[in-house]
Amino acid sequence: MATSSWRFAVDHHDATRARRRSLAKRWLGETPESWGFVLPAAVIIIGLSIIPMIWSLVLSMQSADLVTPARWIGLQNYRVLSKDPNFRAACIHTLIYAGLFVPLSIGGGLGLAVMLNRKIRFIGLYRTLVFVPFVISAAAQGVLFSFIFDAHFGIANAVLGWFGVPPQGFFADSNQALLLLVVIGLWSGLGFCVVVYLAGLQDIQQELLEAAAIDGARSWGTFRYVVWPTLKPITIFLSVWETLQALQVFDLVFVTTRGGPLESTTVIVFFVWNQAFQLFTAGYAAAGAYVLAFSLLIVSIGMRLIRRHQEVDAR
């Protein structure tokens, strides 16, 4: 009897240990030692991303200037933000910039990629020249184009003068400054789209193009029914990427116009920076940053749903 009780206790203990081991594997994976490999990266991600995000969310619900003790005010910053004409203007400027930059960069990138996907002399040089502006930092671009488009001493007005065009205000003109920023953004952003589209074009099987030619398809027909379907996933990726980049534009504005003239180039990120580090309303700036983050999240989810819908249709 005593032996049977002892045996039952041992079996019960072993079963409990097995359940605990199974539970640990379920949560930690097959080998808990693997956490030793991912722990440094996890600590960096949590320390540099997750914790600042949570802290910014808390800050957006406080009246804080980063110097004196903060005061909890709930959603008051968001209510004020919804009625702030300066923030509304910054949103409109950002949308105008993105609405021009994204389609022009994708359309221009696709056109240049098609032209550069040919076997012509010095094609490597042409591709390099198109991509070089992309690797130049936005700050350097801003300094360069500030000299070129200076209303009094810039070379742009000198060139226009040779053709009889009167001097332009460029960055000093509230009607031209934002459009000029779009042009500068395109100058540097087209290279990335060209490289991605070129990679997609060179992945198209030559047999498909030859079959289309045998069937009598002309250039436009080949592009529409063979090339474009292959490039659709790339276009969706570029749409997401370029939209996120456009909505977060800051360094180019900071170096060239600093939101002027007459706040005609104040975009959302510059508005947030101005509130946080010029006016020291950090809580208000954090609320603006969270509105931008929420907008970026909506864009990403929308593009993902579109891509999933296309994948379902393709099956």
Side-chain angles (χ1 to χ4, degrees):
M1 185 66 180
T3 304
S4 174
S5 300
W6 176 81
R7 188 65 198 172
F8 175 77
V10 170
D11 291 344
H12 179 70
H13 179 68
D14 291 343
T16 304
R17 288 184 62 185
R19 279 199 300 272
R20 287 177 180 170
R21 207 176 296 122
S22 174
L23 189 63
K25 280 186 177 180
R26 188 182 303 171
W27 284 98
L28 300 177
E30 289 296 324
T31 56
E33 294 80 6
S34 60
W35 280 94
F37 294 99
V38 301
L39 190 60
V43 169
I44 292 174
I45 291 173
I46 293 173
L48 298 181
S49 300
I50 306 300
I51 293 177
M53 284 174 59
I54 296 173
W55 182 73
S56 297
L57 180 61
V58 174
L59 186 63
S60 70
M61 299 182 185
Q62 294 178 333
S63 175
D65 57 8
L66 300 178
V67 178
T68 57
R71 181 169 54 89
W72 183 266
I73 57 173
L75 298 176
Q76 184 63 24
N77 280 330
Y78 292 95
R79 294 192 192 97
V80 176
L81 206 59
S82 65
K83 301 174 183 175
D84 189 341
N86 294 325
F87 182 69
R88 196 177 305 124
C91 291
I92 292 172
H93 297 153
T94 306
L95 291 176
I96 292 174
Y97 181 88
L100 293 173
F101 174 79
V102 175
L104 290 176
S105 63
I106 292 176
L110 177 59
L112 282 175
V114 171
M115 286 190 287
L116 294 175
N117 191 37
R118 298 178 179 180
K119 295 179 180 178
I120 55 177
R121 293 186 66 187
F122 307 119
I123 188 64
L125 175 63
Y126 301 146
R127 291 173 180 173
T128 304
L129 290 176
V130 169
F131 188 68
V132 163
F134 178 70
V135 301
I136 300 175
S137 70
Q141 295 170 35
V143 173
L144 172 65
F145 284 100
S146 293
F147 284 113
I148 293 175
F149 292 110
D150 186 275
H152 302 288
F153 309 105
I155 191 173
N157 268 332
V159 173
L160 291 177
W162 296 341
F163 298 97
V165 178
Q168 303 294 312
F170 296 125
F171 288 130
D173 189 332
S174 59
N175 296 319
Q176 299 178 359
L178 187 60
L179 298 177
L180 206 54
L181 290 177
V182 175
V183 173
I184 298 171
L186 288 172
W187 179 76
S188 61
L190 272 179
F192 179 73
C193 295
V194 170
V195 169
V196 176
Y197 271 128
L198 266 176
L201 288 170
Q202 292 178 0
D203 276 347
I204 298 176
Q205 296 179 1
Q206 194 63 30
E207 292 80 4
L208 294 176
L209 300 176
E210 291 172 357
I214 293 172
D215 289 342
R218 296 185 177 180
S219 300
W220 172 246
T222 304
F223 179 82
R224 182 178 178 183
Y225 296 107
V226 179
V227 177
W228 178 244
T230 308
L231 297 181
K232 266 189 178 179
I234 295 175
T235 305
I236 293 174
F237 162 73
L238 286 176
S239 300
V240 176
W241 176 263
E242 295 294 273
T243 302
L244 297 181
Q245 296 297 312
L247 294 179
Q248 299 179 81
V249 62
F250 169 73
D251 36 16
L252 189 59
V253 175
F254 182 81
V255 175
T256 53
T257 64
R258 284 187 170 259
L262 301 176
E263 299 186 353
S264 61
T265 58
T266 299
V267 291
I268 296 179
V269 180
F270 186 84
F271 174 87
V272 170
W273 175 85
N274 193 46
Q275 293 293 329
F277 302 109
Q278 295 293 307
L279 304 177
F280 297 102
T281 53
Y284 194 57
Y290 253 88
V291 171
L292 175 62
F294 187 69
S295 305
L296 297 177
L297 181 65
I298 290 176
V299 170
S300 302
I301 293 175
M303 291 296 182
R304 187 172 180 80
L305 290 176
I306 292 173
R307 183 174 181 179
R308 182 175 296 178
H309 181 69
Q310 289 184 342
E311 288 175 353
V312 170
D313 290 344
R315 291 174 185 172

